[in-house]
Amino acid sequence: MKSLVIATLIALPALAIGQAYSTPQLLLALRSDTQTLARLTPVADPAFDFVPGTRAAERRGNGYAHVGDLNLRLRSGDGAWQDYSSSRARKPVRILPAGRALAAADISATMGAGFPLTVERRWLNDKGALVLRFTLINRSASPVEIGGLGLPMVFDNIITGRTLEQAHASASFADPYIGRDAGYVQVTRLNGQGPALLVLPDGRTPLEAWRPIEDGSKREQTAEGFYDWTVASKAYAGTDWKNAGEQWNTPTSLTLRPGERREIGVRFVTAPSIRAIEQTLVAQKRPVAVGIPGYVVPTDMEATLFLHSSQKVASISAGPAGALTVTPVGSGGGNGDWAAQGWLRYTVRAQGWGPARLSISYADGSVQTISYFITKPLQQAVADLGRFATTRQWFDDRNDPFQRAPAILTYDRDADRIVTDDTRVWISGMSDEGGGGSWVAAIMKQLDNPDAAEVAKLERLVNDTVVGKLQVADGPQAGAVRKSLFYYDPQAFPNYYDPKANWATWASWSKKDAADLGRAYNYPHVAIGHWVLYRLARNHVGLVTAHDWRWYLQQAYQTVVAMMRDAPEYAQFGLMEGDVFIDILKDLQREEMHAEAADMERLMKQRADHWRTLIYPFGSEMAWDSTGQAEVYAWMRHFGYQPQADITREVILGYDPTMPSWGYNGNARRYWDFLYAGKTPRIERQIHHYGSTLNAVPLFEAYRANPSDLHLLRVAYGGLLGGITNIDQQGFASAGFHAWPDMMRWDAYSGDYGMGFYGHAYASATYVLNDPTFGWLAFGANLQAAADGKLHITPKDSARTRLFIAPERAWITLEAGKYDSAVYDPRSGAITLQLAASTPHTPRARIITERDGKRSEYLGTLSDGPNHWTSSRARN
């Protein structure tokens, strides 16, 4: 084994390599000068490195953190906190006799001047797992309080200087479950392939916080930066984080009396695949939580929590008190094998609004925390969004020099005003993601939940402002979309712009730059506006009045054609919300607009054929992106390019985790868009930026194609509901949540939120399945089993128009009408919907079913009373 280890390390610069070691799962090398990790390679794939070993030479000097370093913030008595770090100004470490360890050193000398502790570090092979363990000893005569204690988690997320193919082959992303004693970090490869690395607590080493560390590495779009596994955070909470929102866990400290010692550390193990992470945690005897449908709980929805632990549950408490009610479910009833496999089942109900924390205390004194978010019933939250966008964000100044009226513009929640001027001009310009987000959200809200007054305003917006201003109305460039209606022209408008702002950057586009037609990313936003109005005109009566359905569908098609003609540079990439083009094509085909459908399919196939030739067809204007995969997946499936669709699906899982936290569950990785659409512009991990819901869309489709893969549905539903957490109690929708512990709150700008709400409105549905372990489950509904074996489904999703019954592979969508409840008979396969009563705008129901590979459509008149519709195995 040792020769194999050395062979795999030849590529490392000689200066970095000390001794090489191995465990049954991992090959590693330590730096000769610092005894920190120089390489960490899975035995299953010796060519891969989880740490940035290939950059050892450039990351050699002072200030660069590595796995094996330590950060501390200490004080004696009530004195001031003092920071110490093993990486800030390196000094030689004192090698200790290894004994039973792989390597050992006293690293006290490199912690900094005046350091009152002794710190010994050991690398061990403990029962086949690699362990990094620190022993902290108070050699002073006074108690020392440790208010900050962090272990740098430095894994190779650096995309700088790599092609997309190289990045997918070599880079990893780390995601934390900030769950105290049950916490862990998962490190997943960009290509989504196994093995995945798990960093687990060794002994009592709680993951209390996830603190960004500033080392010599530059944070940029191609490098997110690194974080501390933070064991104690009281000193940070009282200083650096004092103005932040509530932390994931209550900040704590630990105190060492004179002569006292404390061990902390982490264990490194691998899971054979991303889907096997939870099974690996169980095998490692770690507490595991599985929330259904996730950890965002509307107050009218009954959620489920499964727990698995080698320790007995002693108590469960919620904070704030009463926010979450947790009720154990007995093992009787015969549904699923969860009790036999060691799982405990609980029903979770919520009241109130906002973040809540569940604390599970175990018999050994350890505590697991699970972060929940409580929201309004989803239809109410969505109604709030529509009302806020069409009132508080409604801009109708007919004297506006940029001719933006009528519009829905970006909103500043801190100032409680519309943002009519921002130096990033697109934010106030109705286009691009940062400026188009709010009106896209408002119009997507109408797809399943139309409001006549809101639709009337939005039809004005599309016909008076989009067509002819934002979008070229006629001529050789008809259908093309401009980058922004707002721009910077101080000669034309000398008194309009904030003189205190910096208008000298590239982001303050001139009139010419703002009128550019070449940014393909802007085209789906406009296509969505036309497509939603087409659907409303086609499926409802009297909501849309300016044009008939055919006109709006024609406009949507023309937008796609113009994109291919006038914005080819970026049209070669998958686009956020680009999967709407699939629906436009299908609607053209269904409406027998044969010439337009054939032309559009030809144009889209050119893109798909190009993507088919690429190993990873996820190029972007950015070096790496997580928002084009949804459209790529959709077209790969449409044209039958299943191998490329499968690659796309697995790549999504590489940056989109499922974890016991409302923030990280289904949170597709994004860390730079606050620069372009937020009020607080900085590089940081964004919580439920629009990528969460956009990436949910292909995962839902993938799940419907393979209903045995519960992992897909859990990640997808985490993203679907995660996007709702951005909507506040009045309906303002933030661009995203700031995950760094110095903020822990939503950004004040609405910005590009609407791209994510597109995904929510597009994919909102109820899913019912029978899992071999967990039994009958519902995502998006309350589920009750009757004595006759039938399942009664009460939908609580925001749409109430889509239902998937997994055992039947039955996908039912209502393009007109809603259903109030459903009954499924597993024996006969019959699915009966109780449809909502007719309304003046929706007198008929239009139901489309896909079942057993067959597609059928039902069009029927609704009555004022009960309306029932049934699908069975024998009849669609």
Side-chain angles (χ1 to χ4, degrees):
M1 176 66 76
K2 188 171 181 179
S3 61
L4 172 62
V5 175
I6 294 173
T8 62
L9 302 178
I10 291 174
L12 276 178
L15 60 91
I17 299 179
Q19 181 66 47
Y21 306 94
S22 67
T23 69
Q25 292 184 330
L26 293 164
L27 314 174
L28 64 143
L30 302 179
R31 282 181 50 170
S32 57
D33 54 347
T34 65
Q35 214 182 77
T36 54
L37 266 187
R39 187 173 178 91
L40 187 63
T41 294
V43 170
D45 187 355
F48 186 80
D49 188 2
F50 283 110
V51 300
T54 58
R55 300 176 186 267
E58 66 190 69
R59 303 191 74 255
R60 180 188 182 191
N62 289 335
Y64 287 97
H66 301 272
V67 177
D69 278 316
L70 188 67
N71 293 314
L72 293 169
R73 182 171 284 188
L74 314 175
R75 69 179 176 184
S76 296
D78 294 327
W81 293 107
Q82 300 292 326
D83 287 326
Y84 301 93
S85 172
S86 62
S87 62
R88 182 182 303 152
R90 293 198 182 274
K91 299 289 177 62
V93 301
R94 183 167 65 88
I95 303 302
L96 298 175
R100 298 174 62 183
L102 300 175
D106 182 332
I107 67 170
S108 308
T110 194
M111 294 300 298
F115 184 58
L117 307 179
T118 295
V119 177
E120 297 176 356
R121 178 185 59 210
R122 287 175 176 82
W123 294 94
L124 304 103
N125 180 344
D126 182 38
K127 300 175 183 178
L130 174 65
V131 173
L132 166 62
R133 187 176 296 162
F134 294 91
T135 303
L136 283 65
I137 309 165
N138 183 1
R139 301 292 191 191
S140 72
S142 302
V144 174
E145 183 179 8
I146 305 174
L149 196 167
L151 285 66
M153 297 286 105
V154 180
F155 300 107
D156 190 1
N157 61 15
I158 305 171
I159 300 168
T160 310
R162 286 170 166 162
T163 66
L164 277 180
E165 291 76 14
Q166 290 170 337
H168 281 88
S170 302
S172 314
F173 285 136
D175 286 299
Y177 166 36
I178 312 171
R180 291 203 58 80
D181 294 316
Y184 62 89
V185 175
Q186 66 179 50
V187 187
T188 53
R189 301 165 65 173
L190 263 63
N191 58 22
Q193 298 174 13
L197 179 68
L198 298 179
V199 188
L200 312 176
D202 178 60
R204 287 294 171 83
T205 308
L207 181 48
E208 181 170 289
W210 187 242
R211 186 180 75 96
I213 54 178
E214 300 299 331
D215 70 352
S217 306
K218 181 182 179 182
R219 294 184 189 271
E220 52 190 333
Q221 193 273 328
T222 52
E224 180 183 346
F226 309 114
Y227 297 81
D228 260 351
W229 174 305
T230 306
V231 177
S233 61
K234 173 185 172 182
Y236 304 122
T239 54
D240 309 56
W241 310 344
K242 63 182 179 181
N243 295 320
E246 184 178 1
Q247 301 296 324
W248 299 113
N249 292 295
T250 301
T252 67
S253 66
L254 56 97
T255 299
L256 294 181
R257 297 185 299 274
E260 187 177 4
R261 62 176 58 207
R262 168 72 184 266
E263 287 188 345
I264 55 102
V266 290
R267 306 173 70 87
F268 301 86
V269 300
T270 61
S273 68
I274 291 173
R275 289 173 178 80
I277 285 174
E278 287 169 345
Q279 296 97 300
T280 302
L281 292 170
V282 169
Q284 292 289 321
K285 301 187 183 306
R286 303 302 307 158
V288 179
V290 172
I292 305 296
Y295 309 94
V296 177
V297 184
T299 54
D300 64 343
M301 187 184 291
E302 189 175 271
T304 301
L305 176 66
F306 292 94
L307 293 177
H308 194 292
S309 174
S310 60
Q311 294 290 321
K312 183 178 179 181
V313 173
S315 65
I316 300 178
S317 61
L324 298 167
T325 303
V326 181
T327 307
V329 177
S331 59
N335 260 330
D337 197 29
W338 49 271
Q341 295 187 37
W343 292 91
L344 302 175
R345 181 171 183 162
Y346 300 86
T347 297
V348 180
R349 292 186 177 274
Q351 61 180 5
W353 188 91
R357 182 166 57 236
L358 208 60
S359 297
I360 301 108
S361 298
Y362 292 100
D364 64 352
S366 63
V367 177
Q368 174 180 16
T369 57
I370 303 174
S371 297
Y372 277 89
F373 190 92
I374 303 168
T375 188
K376 295 181 180 182
L378 295 177
Q379 282 197 325
Q380 186 176 342
V382 167
D384 291 344
L385 178 145
R387 181 171 53 253
F388 193 100
T390 55
T391 55
R392 302 280 290 277
Q393 293 183 251
W394 183 250
F395 178 81
D396 204 10
D397 181 1
R398 294 298 175 176
N399 296 318
D400 177 50
F402 303 96
Q403 300 183 13
R404 290 171 289 185
I408 294 173
L409 297 181
T410 293
Y411 197 81
D412 181 343
R413 194 58 161 142
D414 284 345
D416 263 336
R417 66 171 182 86
I418 291 172
V419 182
T420 55
D421 64 327
D422 190 287
T423 58
R424 299 158 293 177
V425 297
W426 55 85
I427 285 178
S428 302
M430 276 280 285
S431 194
D432 211 83
E433 288 72 65
S438 291
W439 75 265
V440 169
I443 205 160
M444 278 303 298
K445 180 265 177 185
Q446 313 306 319
L447 181 68
D448 294 309
N449 296 284
D451 176 275
E454 294 171 6
V455 171
K457 284 187 171 182
L458 287 160
E459 196 175 16
R460 277 186 59 206
L461 182 153
V462 169
N463 285 286
D464 294 355
T465 304
V466 172
V467 177
K469 296 178 183 177
L470 189 62
Q471 183 177 37
V472 179
D474 48 40
Q477 293 180 310
V481 180
R482 297 180 173 90
K483 286 166 61 177
S484 175
L485 290 180
F486 183 63
Y487 50 86
Y488 182 58
D489 187 347
Q491 291 186 339
F493 313 113
N495 299 317
Y496 195 90
Y497 306 101
D498 181 359
K500 298 179 182 178
N502 179 15
W503 297 90
T505 73
W506 68 269
S508 298
W509 292 335
S510 66
K511 182 177 182 179
K512 178 182 177 182
D513 290 337
D516 184 82
L517 306 176
R519 193 171 188 276
Y521 294 97
N522 295 324
Y523 287 69
H525 316 332
V526 171
I528 285 167
H530 296 309
W531 175 71
V532 171
L533 291 174
Y534 151 74
R535 284 287 181 99
L536 294 175
R538 194 71 170 99
N539 296 316
H540 302 274
V541 175
L543 282 176
V544 175
T545 58
H547 303 284
D548 64 9
W549 64 262
R550 184 178 296 273
W551 188 89
Y552 286 110
L553 184 55
Q554 184 72 33
Q555 289 295 115
Y557 158 72
Q558 186 182 57
T559 304
V560 178
V561 172
M563 179 186 75
M564 297 299 290
R565 181 191 65 223
D566 296 313
E569 180 182 359
Y570 291 142
Q572 67 179 300
F573 304 132
L575 307 173
M576 63 283 286
E577 316 129 279
D579 35 15
V580 72
F581 297 153
I582 292 275
D583 286 85
I584 293 170
L585 174 60
K586 290 180 178 178
D587 287 333
L588 290 170
Q589 293 169 335
R590 187 171 57 177
E591 301 291 4
E592 298 184 350
M593 297 172 68
H594 299 300
E596 292 89 344
D599 184 44
M600 181 174 174
E601 190 159 38
R602 175 186 62 82
L603 292 171
M604 296 300 100
K605 193 170 188 298
Q606 291 174 4
R607 301 169 75 210
D609 286 345
H610 168 63
W611 297 333
R612 192 186 185 191
T613 67
L614 305 175
I615 300 175
Y616 299 105
F618 316 124
S620 166
E621 62 182 337
M622 298 298 187
W624 176 86
D625 212 337
S626 60
T627 54
Q629 286 81 346
E631 190 195 4
V632 170
Y633 181 85
W635 287 119
M636 295 297 100
R637 289 270 295 167
H638 176 80
F639 289 114
Y641 302 155
Q642 192 59 44
Q644 287 74 26
D646 293 344
I647 291 171
T648 307
R649 178 195 65 220
E650 296 307 296
V651 163
I652 292 172
L653 296 180
Y655 59 73
D656 200 344
T658 178
M659 286 185 155
S661 163
W662 71 264
Y664 288 89
N665 191 48
N667 182 37
R669 190 166 231 88
R670 202 78 171 170
Y671 53 89
W672 61 84
D673 264 343
F674 284 143
L675 295 176
Y676 307 117
K679 185 174 184 180
T680 303
R682 65 185 189 183
I683 295 280
E684 76 175 299
R685 179 67 187 279
Q686 298 171 275
I687 295 292
H688 297 308
H689 185 255
Y690 64 73
S692 293
T693 43
L694 289 186
N695 282 280
V697 175
L699 296 183
F700 279 127
E701 184 179 350
Y703 175 75
R704 294 194 298 272
N706 180 17
S708 65
D709 194 344
L710 180 59
H711 183 86
L712 294 171
L713 182 59
R714 289 174 57 199
V715 176
Y717 229 91
L720 184 84
L721 292 190
I724 290 293
T725 64
N726 298 29
I727 304 173
D728 74 11
Q729 290 174 283
Q730 287 72 46
F732 166 79
S734 166
F737 184 85
H738 287 272
W740 280 8
D742 67 333
M743 285 195 70
M744 290 294 290
R745 60 178 176 267
W746 285 268
D747 194 84
Y749 271 12
S750 55
D752 48 9
Y753 172 75
M755 286 63 249
F757 189 76
Y758 160 84
H760 178 89
Y762 183 92
S764 188
T766 284
Y767 288 77
V768 176
L769 63 137
N770 188 9
D771 183 75
T773 298
F774 298 130
W776 285 106
L777 303 174
F779 288 70
N782 292 336
L783 187 67
Q784 184 175 6
D788 60 3
K790 295 180 180 179
L791 297 174
H792 292 256
I793 303 159
T794 306
K796 299 298 180 182
D797 64 88
S798 66
R800 321 278 169 97
T801 61
R802 304 177 193 93
L803 174 64
F804 183 71
I805 305 295
E808 305 297 325
R809 292 183 178 245
W811 178 230
I812 302 169
T813 60
L814 287 79
E815 293 191 358
K818 291 179 179 286
Y819 74 103
D820 290 331
S821 63
V823 177
Y824 168 53
D825 187 345
R827 296 165 299 182
S828 68
I831 305 165
T832 300
L833 304 185
Q834 179 173 320
L835 304 179
S838 65
T839 69
H841 293 299
T842 313
R844 297 190 304 173
R846 173 173 284 175
I847 304 173
I848 298 172
T849 63
E850 298 177 28
R851 186 169 183 168
D852 300 324
K854 300 177 182 178
R855 186 179 190 277
S856 60
E857 183 170 338
Y858 166 82
L859 187 65
T861 301
L862 294 169
S863 66
D864 294 333
N867 300 272
H868 296 285
W869 175 88
T870 299
S871 170
S872 67
R873 294 191 186 116
R875 178 182 67 83
N876 284 340

